[in-house]
Amino acid sequence: MHLISGINSAKFFSATAEPKEPVVCTKTIPGPKSIELNKQLGKIQSTGSIQYFADYDKSKGNYIQDVDGNILLDVFTQISSVPLGYNHPRLLNVFKDDKNIKTLVNRPALGVFPGKEWPDKLQSILMQVAPKGLNKITTMMCGSCSNENAFKSIFIWYQNKLRGSSKFTQDEMCSCMVNMPPGSPELSILSFHGAFHGRTLGSLATTHSKYIHKLDIPSFDWPIASFPKYKYPLEENVAENKKEDEKCLSEVADLMEVYKKKGKPVAGVIVEPIQSEGGDNEASPEFFQNLQKICKKNGSALLIDEVQTGGGSTGKFWCHEYFNLESPPDVVTFSKKLQLGGYFHNDDFLPNEPYRIFNTWMGDPGKVIILEEILKVIKEENLIANVQNSGKVLKDGLLKLEKEFPNLLNSTRGRGTFLAVNTVDGKVRDTIITNMKLNGIQTGGCGENAIRFRPTLVFKENHANIVLDRMRKVLKNL
Amino acid sequence: MHLISGINSAKFFSATAEPKEPVVCTKTIPGPKSIELNKQLGKIQSTGSIQYFADYDKSKGNYIQDVDGNILLDVFTQISSVPLGYNHPRLLNVFKDDKNIKTLVNRPALGVFPGKEWPDKLQSILMQVAPKGLNKITTMMCGSCSNENAFKSIFIWYQNKLRGSSKFTQDEMCSCMVNMPPGSPELSILSFHGAFHGRTLGSLATTHSKYIHKLDIPSFDWPIASFPKYKYPLEENVAENKKEDEKCLSEVADLMEVYKKKGKPVAGVIVEPIQSEGGDNEASPEFFQNLQKICKKNGSALLIDEVQTGGGSTGKFWCHEYFNLESPPDVVTFSKKLQLGGYFHNDDFLPNEPYRIFNTWMGDPGKVIILEEILKVIKEENLIANVQNSGKVLKDGLLKLEKEFPNLLNSTRGRGTFLAVNTVDGKVRDTIITNMKLNGIQTGGCGENAIRFRPTLVFKENHANIVLDRMRKVLKNL
């Protein structure tokens, strides 16, 4: 056992208390205790997606421990939602403060009776990480709700532009109550093949990564364009990838025309800076710059979904900072590492009337106080720079593995530690992921044949080397 | 000042530390400090729905204190989401336990890596309040997400019935990826005029309470039936109200036929036990019994939305317990007082394949540990019986006020403390609510002209008498 146990005081929890390396003690993962718990849970829930049961009390830093005593170096981090690792001492300390405990048990309806500290908290915590040029914030609970409400803000903005200064008509007010136009207009959100933006009905209509997410669920007839599929290495395929950009962008422009003619104009475009669930598909800064131009030309809003990419793991706090857009995107959604959901936007996307964008809780102050400490640690420990460093080690190592195992791996890509590599097919991918787990590394799959890496922000060079060593061992034995 | 201040130790926070009565010290609410904070927040957010800023550290039990020192008896309770009042000592104590703090900072992706205690927690906390006959639980984050995912479970169930034992076809798997049938089928959820089920695009398609919630947002062509509008007092209008039930039920049956012929069969019906946002509209047990019969006859699922009614304030833990349905409803959704969202259901609504009902967090163990303590207190202090007692006092008092002010009030209704009374019109209603606030009582409006009461479960007879006394004063001065 590499864990220091029996120490309760927060001051003893430092990065050095992390295990030195992974420990696997069962022949299979899930081990017997996980299998037993799975049976128990199966009596009241669907359990088909469960990998194992974790012992979070014993997990530490970059290492997740399961109930069977396996200690895995976690580079999947709860689907990319853990910024500082497990049981970070600074986060445990947050709730030593009685004031913060009161925040947990007095949860307000933030849209009606916010607490006295809420304006300050929003300003000093969330607005300090606002994407450049976006001066408004709407908080929500999760990624799906953030995208859904961002869509609503976009639809309201679009109709207000058409309506000008005139008031709602009687016909609009009556028809919307029975889901009919003109009150419930035939507007659309353009999305991309391979995209993932959530699973509630509105956000699911813009998700196109796997059929199992969508099958049997009614949807909207909204336009879907191709997202670039690049050839790697990028520097050897510049001309071809540029053509790919152009093809996709011309599809976007065409679909905007088609759906305008269809009577379902495109109010907004939603896009991930890196398509995550869909296979870690990147697109160039030029692609995003031109996408924004097409949006502006057509009067459509540009929504950048940073639910998975936001929070620092790409080597910038927001991935779209890499794109040098000529002006800020209209809306940026977030969740996961930021603990709660929401979206940043500009003044144009602030509805004029109350209760249009609203729900009971509208976010969660209990999550914001955790986020406050996370952002402090990111700043104090310079974790974005850390991500750039360890990301370089991990990426260079993956490129090296690609060269060592050209029949197994290709197309290493990504930014910061937000990285992926393709395998030859889905079956090989799944085998590698399983074997890496049995060698102490928790990774995740995405798309058809990619392995994705989503380490914490406290993932260091030494962790990257452990991942690479174990991966090499797995590939050698394949 | 009636608040005991300067006492930090949890043991001093008892019910007796509550203020004896409301205190209003500003001429208007919001007072000057709230107005100042509103300006500050207005720089980064929409603030049109904010009533005032609260000082939650100083709020206690049934009393909410605002930043200007006003202490209001709160019978609206954050849109019906506070079960035990503010700063309940038992809830403050929950986070004195280091284990519970760890739960807050190690938030898992529950569908993939649940913690070792999760099966036990679900079983011993949520399943102990499962509606009779529903043996499965799916956890979510909020009411909207719960309804959205319940819809998805219903659609999957419906299509599986049609599909029988056969597998997904290639055509289904491909077409759903571009939002088209047969993979994304034209199914519908039937809802009722006046209903409120949430504000994300799927749930909003079943919400029909106020146009401002729906205007400018694209929707689905799904059937909407009339919900009974009763005449009060019920005992004097039996025959007429029975006719009203029959009229609405026959609309449901007709719409099922119409939408079947339209090619958009009704996979499920969603209904609130008492339409809350829509005006606290009740329907009889017979209405619900017959609604269930129509659902069964048509092969449609019955989803009872207990997001606002669930958790005890109707005098039963679930309001639909009053309906003596011949068999359990298929799905029951919850949120608000239960701290997190989710739905109970039977085996039929458990998808066979993983990742169909799924998202990153799938609920929040940090909320479940609060719920655990809430349920203990409800049981130990017999709070459901308390609701029945104080609800009777409040209802009898409202009926008496109705007789005293027949030109202002009518149609007192509801169960437990989940009560409402109609005023003559929306303008008078808003005036009464404002004046009650200035007399120390925080209520809420619903529908066009109703005042709704949503006290905590620790609201006692003495609180009811304060509400009634202050309301009488307001009505006299009108």
Side-chain angles (χ1 to χ4, degrees):
Chain A
M1 289 290 290
H2 295 266
L3 272 180
I4 295 170
S5 61
I7 295 175
N8 286 320
S9 172
K11 67 177 174 169
F12 287 96
F13 280 100
S14 70
T16 55
E18 242 191 14
K20 278 190 196 132
E21 56 175 13
V23 179
V24 176
C25 53
T26 58
K27 278 188 186 160
T28 58
I29 298 178
K33 286 183 186 166
S34 270
I35 291 170
E36 190 51 41
L37 284 168
N38 205 59
K39 271 187 208 155
Q40 194 185 325
L41 187 59
K43 289 176 191 160
I44 53 173
Q45 275 198 340
S46 198
T47 60
S49 54
I50 289 176
Q51 295 196 20
Y52 50 79
F53 287 77
D55 188 332
Y56 289 109
D57 293 349
K58 293 185 181 158
S59 300
K60 179 74 198 114
N62 290 282
Y63 288 86
I64 185 169
Q65 181 162 342
D66 78 4
V67 284
D68 289 285
N70 298 302
I71 301 172
L72 308 180
L73 176 51
D74 189 0
V75 292
F76 191 42
T77 61
Q78 313 296 328
I79 319 180
S80 199
S81 66
V82 179
L84 302 182
Y86 300 102
N87 287 307
H88 194 285
R90 289 281 293 272
L91 301 190
L92 291 172
N93 262 334
V94 167
F95 298 102
K96 300 292 175 193
D97 182 341
D98 279 350
K99 203 171 160 51
N100 289 338
I101 291 179
K102 285 189 179 177
T103 302
L104 291 177
V105 306
N106 298 311
R107 188 173 185 188
L110 286 168
V112 197
F113 311 102
K116 64 180 192 296
E117 54 292 298
W118 191 237
D120 259 351
K121 290 267 179 200
L122 282 182
Q123 189 70 56
S124 68
I125 302 166
L126 279 156
M127 292 313 292
Q128 79 161 281
V129 294
K132 204 178 156 186
L134 301 187
N135 62 342
K136 294 287 181 290
I137 171 90
T138 301
T139 53
M140 289 285 153
M141 305 264 296
C142 70
S144 286
C145 282
S146 303
N147 283 330
E148 292 263 350
N149 281 281
F151 292 174
K152 287 173 61 176
S153 284
I154 288 170
F155 291 135
I156 291 169
W157 161 81
Y158 191 88
Q159 289 299 90
N160 274 346
K161 281 196 302 175
L162 292 183
R163 196 178 281 125
S165 59
S166 43
K167 289 185 175 167
F168 309 139
T169 66
Q170 200 60 36
D171 194 14
E172 283 178 321
M173 292 188 283
C174 291
S175 57
C176 76
M177 292 295 271
V178 291
N179 301 5
M180 290 293 157
S184 301
E186 295 265 8
L187 299 176
S188 63
I189 298 285
L190 184 145
S191 56
F192 290 90
H193 294 289
F196 184 95
H197 300 293
R199 291 162 168 271
T200 47
L201 268 64
S203 61
L204 188 62
T206 62
T207 286
H208 316 281
S209 46
K210 295 194 185 81
Y211 74 84
I212 202 72
H213 302 164
K214 291 175 70 75
L215 197 73
D216 297 341
I217 316 299
S219 195
F220 291 106
D221 172 18
W222 288 355
I224 311 154
S226 297
F227 193 79
K229 291 196 171 165
Y230 290 156
K231 293 214 168 140
Y232 289 86
L234 292 176
E235 56 278 16
E236 291 171 23
N237 296 279
V238 174
E240 201 163 341
N241 290 338
K242 198 178 169 207
K243 259 193 202 159
E244 178 70 6
D245 277 0
E246 284 160 7
K247 189 203 82 179
C248 296
L249 289 165
S250 106
E251 257 188 52
V252 172
D254 288 351
L255 280 167
M256 285 192 175
E257 275 307 308
V258 169
Y259 273 75
K260 197 176 181 181
K261 280 183 192 151
K262 253 194 181 185
K264 301 182 178 190
V266 174
V269 171
I270 184 167
V271 65
E272 294 155 280
I274 298 172
Q275 283 191 338
S276 303
E277 305 299 313
D280 272 34
N281 309 312
E282 303 176 300
S284 66
E286 294 72 28
F287 173 82
F288 287 98
Q289 289 159 17
N290 287 313
L291 181 62
Q292 186 177 47
K293 286 199 178 90
I294 295 172
C295 285
K296 286 191 178 174
K297 194 180 155 200
N298 286 274
S300 311
L302 177 61
L303 189 178
I304 299 193
D305 176 346
E306 295 249 24
V307 168
Q308 187 151 168
T309 48
S313 58
T314 65
K316 295 198 184 277
F317 198 88
W318 302 109
C319 186
H320 76 267
E321 293 172 43
Y322 283 107
F323 302 157
N324 297 314
L325 296 175
E326 73 177 15
S327 61
D330 297 295
V331 184
V332 173
T333 52
F334 62 85
S335 186
K336 289 189 183 264
K337 284 195 185 63
L338 280 86
Q339 310 297 302
L340 80 167
Y343 51 107
F344 294 100
H345 52 99
N346 63 41
D347 294 304
D348 295 342
F349 294 83
L350 208 60
N352 293 321
E353 305 79 14
Y355 293 107
R356 300 199 76 175
I357 301 293
F358 185 88
N359 58 47
T360 297
W361 287 317
M362 295 207 74
D364 186 348
K367 302 300 180 194
V368 172
I369 55 182
I370 302 178
L371 175 62
E372 179 172 27
E373 198 66 14
I374 290 168
L375 294 178
K376 278 185 194 164
V377 173
I378 289 176
K379 206 171 172 182
E380 286 168 25
E381 300 187 5
N382 212 359
L383 292 181
I384 306 285
N386 175 62
V387 164
Q388 290 165 356
N389 294 335
S390 55
K392 188 171 179 338
V393 174
L394 186 58
K395 194 175 191 179
D396 287 350
L398 289 171
L399 287 164
K400 209 174 151 202
L401 285 175
E402 236 189 68
K403 292 212 170 106
E404 290 174 45
F405 304 95
N407 297 325
L408 289 172
L409 298 185
N410 64 75
S411 307
T412 294
R413 61 197 177 276
R415 300 178 186 275
T417 56
F418 199 102
L419 300 171
V421 62
N422 281 358
T423 57
V424 282
D425 63 40
K427 216 179 145 192
V428 168
R429 188 264 312 269
D430 293 346
T431 305
I432 295 174
I433 286 177
T434 300
N435 291 353
M436 282 184 75
K437 202 177 343 184
L438 289 172
N439 279 274
I441 312 293
Q442 175 69 53
T443 60
C446 62
E448 298 207 343
N449 57 357
I451 300 170
R452 63 175 150 172
F453 299 88
R454 297 289 187 275
T456 68
L457 308 178
V458 294
F459 177 87
K460 303 269 162 85
E461 199 175 321
N462 67 305
H463 301 111
N465 286 325
I466 293 173
V467 172
L468 293 164
D469 288 349
R470 306 265 170 147
M471 192 166 178
R472 177 173 286 107
K473 192 177 152 196
V474 166
L475 294 167
K476 267 187 188 161
N477 290 329
L478 214 64
Chain B
M1 288 289 290
H2 295 266
L3 271 181
I4 296 170
S5 61
I7 296 174
N8 286 320
S9 172
K11 67 176 175 170
F12 285 97
F13 280 99
S14 70
T16 55
E18 242 192 12
K20 278 192 198 129
E21 56 175 11
V23 179
V24 175
C25 52
T26 58
K27 278 189 186 159
T28 58
I29 298 177
K33 287 183 187 166
S34 270
I35 291 170
E36 191 51 44
L37 284 168
N38 204 59
K39 272 187 206 155
Q40 193 185 329
L41 187 60
K43 290 176 189 159
I44 53 173
Q45 274 199 342
S46 198
T47 60
S49 55
I50 289 177
Q51 295 198 18
Y52 50 79
F53 287 77
D55 188 332
Y56 289 109
D57 294 351
K58 293 186 183 157
S59 301
K60 179 71 197 115
N62 290 283
Y63 287 86
I64 184 169
Q65 180 162 343
D66 78 3
V67 285
D68 289 286
N70 298 303
I71 301 172
L72 308 180
L73 176 52
D74 189 0
V75 291
F76 191 43
T77 61
Q78 312 297 327
I79 321 180
S80 199
S81 67
V82 180
L84 302 183
Y86 300 102
N87 287 306
H88 195 285
R90 290 281 293 274
L91 301 189
L92 292 171
N93 262 334
V94 166
F95 298 101
K96 300 292 174 191
D97 182 340
D98 280 350
K99 204 168 159 53
N100 290 338
I101 292 179
K102 285 189 177 177
T103 302
L104 292 177
V105 306
N106 298 311
R107 189 174 184 187
L110 286 168
V112 197
F113 311 102
K116 63 179 192 295
E117 54 292 297
W118 190 237
D120 260 351
K121 291 265 180 202
L122 283 181
Q123 189 70 56
S124 67
I125 303 166
L126 279 157
M127 291 313 291
Q128 79 160 280
V129 293
K132 204 179 158 187
L134 302 187
N135 61 343
K136 295 285 181 290
I137 170 91
T138 301
T139 53
M140 290 285 153
M141 305 264 294
C142 69
S144 286
C145 283
S146 302
N147 282 329
E148 292 261 350
N149 281 282
F151 291 174
K152 287 172 63 175
S153 284
I154 288 170
F155 292 134
I156 291 168
W157 162 82
Y158 191 88
Q159 289 299 90
N160 274 348
K161 281 196 302 175
L162 292 183
R163 196 178 280 123
S165 59
S166 43
K167 288 185 176 169
F168 309 139
T169 66
Q170 200 61 36
D171 193 13
E172 284 178 321
M173 293 189 282
C174 291
S175 57
C176 77
M177 292 295 271
V178 291
N179 302 3
M180 291 292 157
S184 300
E186 295 265 9
L187 299 177
S188 63
I189 298 285
L190 184 146
S191 56
F192 290 91
H193 293 290
F196 184 95
H197 301 293
R199 291 163 168 272
T200 47
L201 268 63
S203 62
L204 189 63
T206 62
T207 286
H208 317 280
S209 47
K210 296 195 184 81
Y211 74 84
I212 202 73
H213 302 164
K214 291 175 69 77
L215 196 73
D216 297 340
I217 315 300
S219 195
F220 291 105
D221 172 16
W222 288 355
I224 312 154
S226 297
F227 193 78
K229 290 196 173 165
Y230 290 156
K231 293 213 166 140
Y232 290 85
L234 292 177
E235 56 277 17
E236 291 171 22
N237 296 278
V238 173
E240 201 163 342
N241 290 339
K242 199 180 169 205
K243 259 193 203 159
E244 178 70 7
D245 277 0
E246 282 160 9
K247 189 202 82 178
C248 296
L249 289 165
S250 107
E251 259 189 50
V252 171
D254 288 350
L255 281 166
M256 285 193 174
E257 275 308 306
V258 169
Y259 273 73
K260 197 177 184 181
K261 280 185 192 147
K262 253 193 180 186
K264 301 182 179 190
V266 174
V269 171
I270 184 167
V271 66
E272 294 156 278
I274 298 172
Q275 283 192 339
S276 304
E277 304 300 311
D280 272 35
N281 310 312
E282 305 176 297
S284 67
E286 294 72 27
F287 174 82
F288 287 97
Q289 289 160 15
N290 286 313
L291 181 63
Q292 186 176 47
K293 287 201 178 90
I294 296 172
C295 285
K296 286 192 179 174
K297 194 180 155 199
N298 285 274
S300 310
L302 178 62
L303 189 178
I304 298 193
D305 176 346
E306 295 249 23
V307 168
Q308 188 152 166
T309 48
S313 58
T314 66
K316 295 196 184 279
F317 198 87
W318 303 109
C319 186
H320 77 267
E321 293 172 42
Y322 282 106
F323 302 157
N324 297 312
L325 296 174
E326 73 177 15
S327 61
D330 297 294
V331 184
V332 172
T333 52
F334 62 85
S335 185
K336 290 190 182 261
K337 285 197 185 64
L338 280 86
Q339 310 296 303
L340 81 168
Y343 52 107
F344 295 99
H345 52 99
N346 64 41
D347 294 304
D348 295 342
F349 295 84
L350 209 61
N352 292 320
E353 306 80 15
Y355 293 107
R356 298 198 78 176
I357 302 293
F358 185 88
N359 58 47
T360 297
W361 285 317
M362 296 206 74
D364 186 347
K367 302 300 180 195
V368 173
I369 54 181
I370 302 178
L371 176 61
E372 179 173 26
E373 198 66 14
I374 290 168
L375 295 178
K376 277 184 194 165
V377 173
I378 289 176
K379 206 171 172 181
E380 287 168 24
E381 300 187 4
N382 213 358
L383 292 181
I384 306 284
N386 174 62
V387 163
Q388 290 165 356
N389 293 336
S390 55
K392 187 170 180 338
V393 175
L394 186 57
K395 194 174 190 180
D396 287 349
L398 289 171
L399 287 164
K400 207 174 153 203
L401 286 175
E402 235 188 68
K403 291 211 172 107
E404 289 174 48
F405 303 94
N407 296 326
L408 290 172
L409 298 186
N410 65 74
S411 307
T412 293
R413 59 197 178 277
R415 299 177 186 277
T417 55
F418 199 102
L419 300 172
V421 61
N422 281 357
T423 58
V424 282
D425 62 42
K427 215 179 147 193
V428 168
R429 187 263 312 271
D430 294 347
T431 306
I432 294 174
I433 287 178
T434 301
N435 292 353
M436 283 185 74
K437 202 172 353 182
L438 290 172
N439 278 276
I441 310 295
Q442 175 70 54
T443 59
C446 64
E448 298 208 342
N449 56 358
I451 300 170
R452 63 175 149 173
F453 299 89
R454 295 291 188 273
T456 67
L457 308 179
V458 295
F459 177 87
K460 302 271 164 84
E461 197 175 323
N462 67 305
H463 301 110
N465 287 325
I466 294 172
V467 172
L468 293 164
D469 288 349
R470 305 265 169 148
M471 191 165 177
R472 177 172 287 108
K473 190 177 155 196
V474 165
L475 294 167
K476 268 188 188 162
N477 290 330
L478 214 65

